PDB file of all heavy atoms in Angstrom:
ATOM      1  N   PHE A  90      60.279 115.902  87.267  1.00 95.00           N
ATOM      2  CA  PHE A  90      60.816 114.762  86.516  1.00 95.00           C
ATOM      3  C   PHE A  90      61.402 113.736  87.487  1.00 95.00           C
ATOM      4  O   PHE A  90      62.618 113.493  87.489  1.00 95.00           O
ATOM      5  CB  PHE A  90      61.877 115.238  85.519  1.00 95.00           C
ATOM      6  CG  PHE A  90      61.336 116.223  84.524  1.00 95.00           C
ATOM      7  CD1 PHE A  90      61.495 117.591  84.713  1.00 95.00           C
ATOM      8  CD2 PHE A  90      60.654 115.789  83.404  1.00 95.00           C
ATOM      9  CE1 PHE A  90      60.982 118.500  83.808  1.00 95.00           C
ATOM     10  CE2 PHE A  90      60.147 116.686  82.490  1.00 95.00           C
ATOM     11  CZ  PHE A  90      60.296 118.055  82.695  1.00 95.00           C
ATOM     12  N   PRO A  91      60.546 113.116  88.319  1.00 93.00           N
ATOM     13  CA  PRO A  91      61.054 112.196  89.353  1.00 93.00           C
ATOM     14  C   PRO A  91      61.691 110.917  88.816  1.00 93.00           C
ATOM     15  O   PRO A  91      62.427 110.256  89.537  1.00 93.00           O
ATOM     16  CB  PRO A  91      59.810 111.875  90.179  1.00 93.00           C
ATOM     17  CG  PRO A  91      58.668 112.085  89.240  1.00 93.00           C
ATOM     18  CD  PRO A  91      59.089 113.198  88.323  1.00 93.00           C
ATOM     19  N   ASP A  92      61.445 110.585  87.553  1.00 90.00           N
ATOM     20  CA  ASP A  92      62.015 109.367  86.975  1.00 90.00           C
ATOM     21  C   ASP A  92      63.021 109.661  85.870  1.00 90.00           C
ATOM     22  O   ASP A  92      63.387 108.765  85.110  1.00 90.00           O
ATOM     23  CB  ASP A  92      60.893 108.488  86.402  1.00 90.00           C
ATOM     24  CG  ASP A  92      59.952 108.001  87.482  1.00 90.00           C
ATOM     25  OD1 ASP A  92      60.440 107.709  88.589  1.00 90.00           O
ATOM     26  OD2 ASP A  92      58.742 107.923  87.214  1.00 90.00           O
ATOM     27  N   ASP A  93      63.456 110.906  85.784  1.00 92.00           N
ATOM     28  CA  ASP A  93      64.366 111.284  84.701  1.00 92.00           C
ATOM     29  C   ASP A  93      65.503 112.157  85.231  1.00 92.00           C
ATOM     30  O   ASP A  93      65.496 113.377  85.098  1.00 92.00           O
ATOM     31  CB  ASP A  93      63.578 112.035  83.621  1.00 92.00           C
ATOM     32  CG  ASP A  93      64.374 112.211  82.342  1.00 92.00           C
ATOM     33  OD1 ASP A  93      65.574 111.854  82.309  1.00 92.00           O
ATOM     34  OD2 ASP A  93      63.796 112.723  81.364  1.00 92.00           O
ATOM     35  N   PRO A  94      66.512 111.521  85.853  1.00 92.00           N
ATOM     36  CA  PRO A  94      67.619 112.300  86.402  1.00 92.00           C
ATOM     37  C   PRO A  94      68.370 113.112  85.350  1.00 92.00           C
ATOM     38  O   PRO A  94      68.852 114.202  85.650  1.00 92.00           O
ATOM     39  CB  PRO A  94      68.537 111.261  87.042  1.00 92.00           C
ATOM     40  CG  PRO A  94      67.961 109.935  86.772  1.00 92.00           C
ATOM     41  CD  PRO A  94      66.649 110.099  86.098  1.00 92.00           C
ATOM     42  N   GLU A  95      68.437 112.596  84.134  1.00 92.00           N
ATOM     43  CA  GLU A  95      69.145 113.318  83.076  1.00 92.00           C
ATOM     44  C   GLU A  95      68.440 114.645  82.758  1.00 92.00           C
ATOM     45  O   GLU A  95      69.093 115.650  82.494  1.00 92.00           O
ATOM     46  CB  GLU A  95      69.266 112.462  81.809  1.00 92.00           C
ATOM     47  CG  GLU A  95      70.271 111.330  81.917  1.00 92.00           C
ATOM     48  CD  GLU A  95      69.750 110.137  82.699  1.00 92.00           C
ATOM     49  OE1 GLU A  95      68.510 109.973  82.823  1.00 92.00           O
ATOM     50  OE2 GLU A  95      70.570 109.363  83.209  1.00 92.00           O
ATOM     51  N   LYS A  96      67.123 114.651  82.784  1.00 95.00           N
ATOM     52  CA  LYS A  96      66.362 115.879  82.538  1.00 95.00           C
ATOM     53  C   LYS A  96      66.602 116.881  83.665  1.00 95.00           C
ATOM     54  O   LYS A  96      66.761 118.079  83.417  1.00 95.00           O
ATOM     55  CB  LYS A  96      64.861 115.553  82.404  1.00 95.00           C
ATOM     56  CG  LYS A  96      64.018 116.748  82.053  1.00 95.00           C
ATOM     57  CD  LYS A  96      64.317 117.259  80.664  1.00 95.00           C
ATOM     58  CE  LYS A  96      63.361 118.358  80.284  1.00 95.00           C
ATOM     59  NZ  LYS A  96      63.656 118.932  78.967  1.00 95.00           N
ATOM     60  N   VAL A  97      66.657 116.398  84.907  1.00 94.00           N
ATOM     61  CA  VAL A  97      66.932 117.269  86.060  1.00 94.00           C
ATOM     62  C   VAL A  97      68.328 117.876  85.919  1.00 94.00           C
ATOM     63  O   VAL A  97      68.516 119.078  86.143  1.00 94.00           O
ATOM     64  CB  VAL A  97      66.786 116.491  87.384  1.00 94.00           C
ATOM     65  CG1 VAL A  97      67.214 117.339  88.568  1.00 94.00           C
ATOM     66  CG2 VAL A  97      65.349 116.016  87.554  1.00 94.00           C
ATOM     67  N   GLU A  98      69.286 117.056  85.512  1.00 92.00           N
ATOM     68  CA  GLU A  98      70.648 117.564  85.309  1.00 92.00           C
ATOM     69  C   GLU A  98      70.670 118.633  84.224  1.00 92.00           C
ATOM     70  O   GLU A  98      71.336 119.663  84.367  1.00 92.00           O
ATOM     71  CB  GLU A  98      71.579 116.415  84.918  1.00 92.00           C
ATOM     72  CG  GLU A  98      71.820 115.418  86.018  1.00 92.00           C
ATOM     73  CD  GLU A  98      72.508 114.147  85.576  1.00 92.00           C
ATOM     74  OE1 GLU A  98      72.832 113.996  84.372  1.00 92.00           O
ATOM     75  OE2 GLU A  98      72.714 113.289  86.446  1.00 92.00           O
ATOM     76  N   GLU A  99      69.925 118.389  83.160  1.00 94.00           N
ATOM     77  CA  GLU A  99      69.857 119.351  82.060  1.00 94.00           C
ATOM     78  C   GLU A  99      69.232 120.669  82.518  1.00 94.00           C
ATOM     79  O   GLU A  99      69.734 121.753  82.204  1.00 94.00           O
ATOM     80  CB  GLU A  99      69.046 118.753  80.908  1.00 94.00           C
ATOM     81  CG  GLU A  99      68.886 119.652  79.717  1.00 94.00           C
ATOM     82  CD  GLU A  99      67.951 119.069  78.671  1.00 94.00           C
ATOM     83  OE1 GLU A  99      67.913 117.825  78.522  1.00 94.00           O
ATOM     84  OE2 GLU A  99      67.246 119.853  78.021  1.00 94.00           O
ATOM     85  N   LEU A 100      68.143 120.592  83.273  1.00 95.00           N
ATOM     86  CA  LEU A 100      67.457 121.795  83.734  1.00 95.00           C
ATOM     87  C   LEU A 100      68.289 122.592  84.737  1.00 95.00           C
ATOM     88  O   LEU A 100      68.313 123.821  84.694  1.00 95.00           O
ATOM     89  CB  LEU A 100      66.108 121.437  84.357  1.00 95.00           C
ATOM     90  CG  LEU A 100      65.036 120.953  83.393  1.00 95.00           C
ATOM     91  CD1 LEU A 100      63.824 120.435  84.161  1.00 95.00           C
ATOM     92  CD2 LEU A 100      64.627 122.069  82.448  1.00 95.00           C
ATOM     93  N   CYS A 101      68.943 121.887  85.643  1.00 95.00           N
ATOM     94  CA  CYS A 101      69.724 122.567  86.681  1.00 95.00           C
ATOM     95  C   CYS A 101      71.066 123.068  86.148  1.00 95.00           C
ATOM     96  O   CYS A 101      71.581 124.078  86.620  1.00 95.00           O
ATOM     97  CB  CYS A 101      69.943 121.646  87.869  1.00 95.00           C
ATOM     98  SG  CYS A 101      68.406 121.268  88.739  1.00 95.00           S
ATOM     99  N   ASN A 102      71.615 122.360  85.171  1.00 94.00           N
ATOM    100  CA  ASN A 102      72.851 122.767  84.515  1.00 94.00           C
ATOM    101  C   ASN A 102      73.992 123.022  85.507  1.00 94.00           C
ATOM    102  O   ASN A 102      74.733 123.986  85.380  1.00 94.00           O
ATOM    103  CB  ASN A 102      72.607 124.010  83.644  1.00 94.00           C
ATOM    104  CG  ASN A 102      73.717 124.233  82.652  1.00 94.00           C
ATOM    105  OD1 ASN A 102      74.416 123.305  82.284  1.00 94.00           O
ATOM    106  ND2 ASN A 102      73.888 125.472  82.224  1.00 94.00           N
ATOM    107  N   CYS A 103      74.077 122.152  86.511  1.00 93.00           N
ATOM    108  CA  CYS A 103      75.151 122.277  87.513  1.00 93.00           C
ATOM    109  C   CYS A 103      75.743 120.924  87.858  1.00 93.00           C
ATOM    110  O   CYS A 103      76.141 120.685  88.993  1.00 93.00           O
ATOM    111  CB  CYS A 103      74.630 122.955  88.772  1.00 93.00           C
ATOM    112  SG  CYS A 103      74.468 124.724  88.597  1.00 93.00           S
ATOM    113  N   GLY A 104      75.784 120.033  86.910  1.00 92.00           N
ATOM    114  CA  GLY A 104      76.389 118.735  87.146  1.00 92.00           C
ATOM    115  C   GLY A 104      75.366 117.626  87.253  1.00 92.00           C
ATOM    116  O   GLY A 104      74.183 117.801  86.976  1.00 92.00           O
ATOM    117  N   GLN A 105      75.859 116.469  87.685  1.00 93.00           N
ATOM    118  CA  GLN A 105      75.016 115.293  87.839  1.00 93.00           C
ATOM    119  C   GLN A 105      74.166 115.425  89.100  1.00 93.00           C
ATOM    120  O   GLN A 105      74.484 116.219  89.984  1.00 93.00           O
ATOM    121  CB  GLN A 105      75.890 114.047  87.911  1.00 93.00           C
ATOM    122  CG  GLN A 105      76.714 113.836  86.650  1.00 93.00           C
ATOM    123  CD  GLN A 105      77.612 112.622  86.749  1.00 93.00           C
ATOM    124  OE1 GLN A 105      77.202 111.579  87.237  1.00 93.00           O
ATOM    125  NE2 GLN A 105      78.843 112.761  86.281  1.00 93.00           N
ATOM    126  N   VAL A 106      73.102 114.638  89.183  1.00 94.00           N
ATOM    127  CA  VAL A 106      72.215 114.732  90.346  1.00 94.00           C
ATOM    128  C   VAL A 106      72.967 114.432  91.646  1.00 94.00           C
ATOM    129  O   VAL A 106      72.671 115.019  92.683  1.00 94.00           O
ATOM    130  CB  VAL A 106      70.964 113.836  90.201  1.00 94.00           C
ATOM    131  CG1 VAL A 106      70.031 114.383  89.145  1.00 94.00           C
ATOM    132  CG2 VAL A 106      71.327 112.393  89.915  1.00 94.00           C
TER     133      VAL A 106
END
Side-chain angles (χ1 to χ4, degrees):
F90 300 97
D92 296 323
D93 192 354
E95 287 78 22
K96 184 67 174 177
V97 174
E98 292 169 0
E99 179 186 327
L100 290 171
C101 293
N102 197 24
C103 282
Q105 299 178 42
V106 290

